[in-house]
Amino acid sequence: MGLPVVLQDGEARHLVALVETMTEARLAALRELGTPEIVVTARRAAALGIAPAIPSDTLRLRLPDTAGRDWIAALSGQNGPGCTDPGDALPRPVPGTAPHDAAIRIAVALQSVPAILVVPLSARDDPRIAALGLGAMPLPLVADALLRSGIQSPVSAARLPMDASEAGRVQVFRPDDGGAEHFAIEIGAPDLSAPVMVRLHSACFTGDVLGSRKCDCGPQLRASMAAMAEEGGGVLLYLNQEGRGIGLANKLRAYALQDAGLDTVEANHWLGFEDDQRDFRIGARMLASLGISQVRLMTNNPAKTASLAAHGIDVVDRVPLRVGRTAQNAQYLATKAAKSGHLL
């Protein structure tokens, strides 16, 4: 919703607000409380060509008195390469602290642009804070919630005949952190006493639904379901982590950056994200809930294999899934292989 929240670290308190939903009126209200700082990730700072003397995951810069909403949007990477320069006289960056790191992680979890405005609060009983109806959220509570991210609970299930298999079943899993629901799709009748053919498929609206030729997601989805049906059974985990976890809005921003000449990894970095923001712990916990401990994993991505193995799932075999190459996605696939280690 864009509302500011207060993070409390011991006696220190910080008012934090998302940059993406910042308005001129909200910015003016923040300035009344103190001097805001803008906090960005190290990836975004590198794209801007700035770096602190001490390496840090997050960097904070004092917001210039003349900076408005457009300046903030430019600094945070919401604009394209042709209109991204926030000005020559950038304030000196300073490494972020624990509250700044936590606030950025909240922005990433919300699939917002990973940039925030922070106002340090001095007076515990500042009437302006009370008037906003804001309570302080202790930093350990925030850290615990972020660490717990990925815990899922099954909430409903039903039989579903599909094109791939007349015998099908869909089960919905809901996280305890208010995040997106994820789905376990049984194809055929998988034998849970043997290694199960499994695919962790991240949602791709443009590829799965619209048939985009910029990626290979749609063909991978259909090919994996067909292979499971041919094998007699399998489980497809459909994880709502669009755009490698950055969300559809940021994915489309990345697409625009790719049209301007960046590759898929460079576009993520430009926006302040890592190469891949997905959390595959979610898949491991869903499999455990389904009683699946051994899998034949359909993937070209070693990170999925490593994450499942690290969280208690025995990957007895990796099944390559090489489909969907087009003239439009050849460079995208080459970048995934060269920079993200995909086995193509």
Side-chain angles (χ1 to χ4, degrees), residues 19 37-41 43-50 59-64 67-79 83-87 89-91 93 113-117 269-272:
V19 157
E37 294 177 313
I38 184 167
V39 182
V40 297
T41 66
R43 290 293 191 190
R44 179 58 190 156
L48 287 166
I50 58 177
L59 299 176
R60 50 198 174 102
L61 303 89
R62 181 186 177 280
L63 198 66
R69 174 67 185 83
D70 291 343
W71 188 95
I72 294 170
L75 190 80
S76 65
Q78 293 179 63
N79 304 330
C83 53
T84 53
D85 185 6
L90 283 175
V113 169
I116 57 171
L117 287 183
H269 292 177
W270 182 270
L271 293 170

Side-chain angles (χ1 to χ4, degrees), residues 1-8 14-20 39 41 58 98-116 118 137-147 149 177 179 245-246 250 273 277:
M1 295 173 61
L3 297 177
V5 297
V6 178
L7 297 183
Q8 184 163 329
H14 300 77
L15 187 70
V16 302
L18 296 173
V19 157
E20 187 169 324
V39 182
T41 66
T58 59
H100 304 109
D101 294 348
I104 286 290
R105 290 178 65 191
I106 291 172
V108 171
L110 293 171
Q111 298 184 339
S112 170
V113 169
I116 57 171
V118 175
M137 183 180 293
L139 197 60
L141 181 65
V142 177
D144 180 63
L146 292 168
L147 286 172
S149 176
D177 61 1
I246 67 175
N250 286 316
F273 295 104
Q277 296 283 168

Side-chain angles (χ1 to χ4, degrees), residues 94-279:
V94 178
T97 63
H100 304 109
D101 294 348
I104 286 290
R105 290 178 65 191
I106 291 172
V108 171
L110 293 171
Q111 298 184 339
S112 170
V113 169
I116 57 171
L117 287 183
V118 175
V119 179
L121 301 176
S122 54
R124 174 175 290 278
D125 57 350
D126 191 319
R128 291 170 296 184
I129 298 297
L132 290 173
L134 301 175
M137 183 180 293
L139 197 60
L141 181 65
V142 177
D144 180 63
L146 292 168
L147 286 172
R148 287 170 52 82
S149 176
I151 295 178
Q152 312 290 315
S153 300
V155 293
S156 65
R159 183 182 64 85
L160 184 70
M162 293 170 277
D163 288 343
S165 174
E166 284 288 327
R169 184 171 180 268
V170 177
Q171 186 165 354
V172 174
F173 284 75
R174 181 172 294 162
D176 65 355
D177 61 1
E181 294 174 336
H182 307 283
F183 318 125
I185 304 167
E186 293 182 18
I187 307 296
D191 180 3
L192 303 190
S193 67
V196 179
M197 181 173 281
V198 166
R199 166 141 178 93
L200 273 60
H201 187 88
S202 299
C204 178
F205 172 74
T206 50
D208 299 343
V209 179
L210 302 182
S212 167
R213 297 187 173 221
K214 288 178 69 69
C215 66
D216 55 346
C217 301
Q220 285 190 328
L221 173 64
R222 291 180 283 276
S224 60
M225 295 176 73
M228 291 174 187
E230 187 175 342
E231 288 266 335
V235 175
L236 184 141
L237 301 184
Y238 197 87
L239 307 179
N240 276 307
Q241 302 191 99
E242 179 86 39
R244 297 197 212 113
I246 67 175
L248 182 58
N250 286 316
K251 174 179 166 180
L252 295 181
R253 288 185 175 112
Y255 276 2
L257 290 168
Q258 290 170 39
D259 288 341
L262 303 185
D263 66 33
T264 180
V265 171
E266 291 167 343
N268 268 30
H269 292 177
W270 182 270
L271 293 170
F273 295 104
E274 295 299 318
D275 304 20
D276 194 335
Q277 296 283 168
R278 289 175 292 182
D279 184 357

